[in-house]
């Protein structure tokens, strides 16, 4: 089989991977590229098929499980407002269930208390429990009087 036929097969398999995102067709496309190289060197059809088979088995048995584990892992860092959850803040203006102001990571944020019965005084330290739009939902670090 000529080398360019293997390249066409690799391109078709690569296109199939683009639409399915299964990591199967992409590895088979890589195996077809290996077969194209073997064909380009001048090895016969039996050698090309052997190279295709070995590369496909190696890819599917060795590379795919490692790649799937890497894809399934959650990110190690939080970005944007998610990074503020769990941070400590200082109350700048009394925080109630409906309004307030805290200093969080060097910036002033509007805030509201997680527990609707809490009124958190100025100067108290709070933990950010969640971010609701541009409002930090906070809970006091210490017992309130």
């Amino acid at each position: 089989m000529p080398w360019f036929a293997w390249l066409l097969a690799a391109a078709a398999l690569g296109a199939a991977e683009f639409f399915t995102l299964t990591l199967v067709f992409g590895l088979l496309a890589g195996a077809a590229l290996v077969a194209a190289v073997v064909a380009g060197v001048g090895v016969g059809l039996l050698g090309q098929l052997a190279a295709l088979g070995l590369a496909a088995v190696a890819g599917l048995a060795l590379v795919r499980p490692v790649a799937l584990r890497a894809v399934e892992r959650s990110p190690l860092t939080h970005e944007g407002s998610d990074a503020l959850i769990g941070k400590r803040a200082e109350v700048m203006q009394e925080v109630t269930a409906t309004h307030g102001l805290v200093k969080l990571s060097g910036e002033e944020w509007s805030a509201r208390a997680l527990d609707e019965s809490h009124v958190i005084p100025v100067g108290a330290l709070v933990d950010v429990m969640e971010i609701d739009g541009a409002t930090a939902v906070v809970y006091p670090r210490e017992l309130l009087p």
Side-chain angles (χ1 to χ4, degrees):
M1 193 165 177
W3 62 270
F4 59 86
W6 287 115
L7 286 180
L8 289 174
L13 289 165
E17 178 64 34
F18 177 78
F19 290 110
T20 62
L21 299 175
T22 60
L23 297 176
V24 173
F25 292 114
L27 292 170
L28 292 177
L33 287 175
V34 169
V37 169
V38 169
V41 171
V43 177
L45 181 61
L46 188 58
Q48 294 171 27
L49 292 175
L52 175 74
L54 287 173
V57 167
L60 294 174
L62 300 174
V63 175
R64 187 170 187 262
V66 172
L68 287 176
R69 274 194 304 272
V71 167
E72 289 173 358
R73 283 194 201 130
S74 63
L76 299 176
T77 59
H78 295 286
E79 297 176 347
S81 62
D82 287 341
L84 299 173
I85 296 173
K87 296 264 186 181
R88 182 173 50 181
E90 182 181 353
V91 176
M92 305 298 289
Q93 180 184 9
E94 184 177 76
V95 175
T96 66
T98 58
H99 68 278
L101 192 66
V102 295
K103 186 160 202 131
L104 173 61
S105 295
E107 299 177 342
E108 290 185 356
W109 279 71
S110 61
R112 64 178 169 85
L114 179 65
D115 186 341
E116 293 179 3
S117 65
H118 284 160
V119 175
I120 308 169
V122 173
L125 296 178
V126 293
D127 288 320
V128 177
M129 306 308 284
E130 64 183 87
I131 300 292
D132 182 17
T135 302
V137 180
V138 299
Y139 193 81
R141 292 182 70 91
E142 299 170 2
L143 292 175
L144 296 173

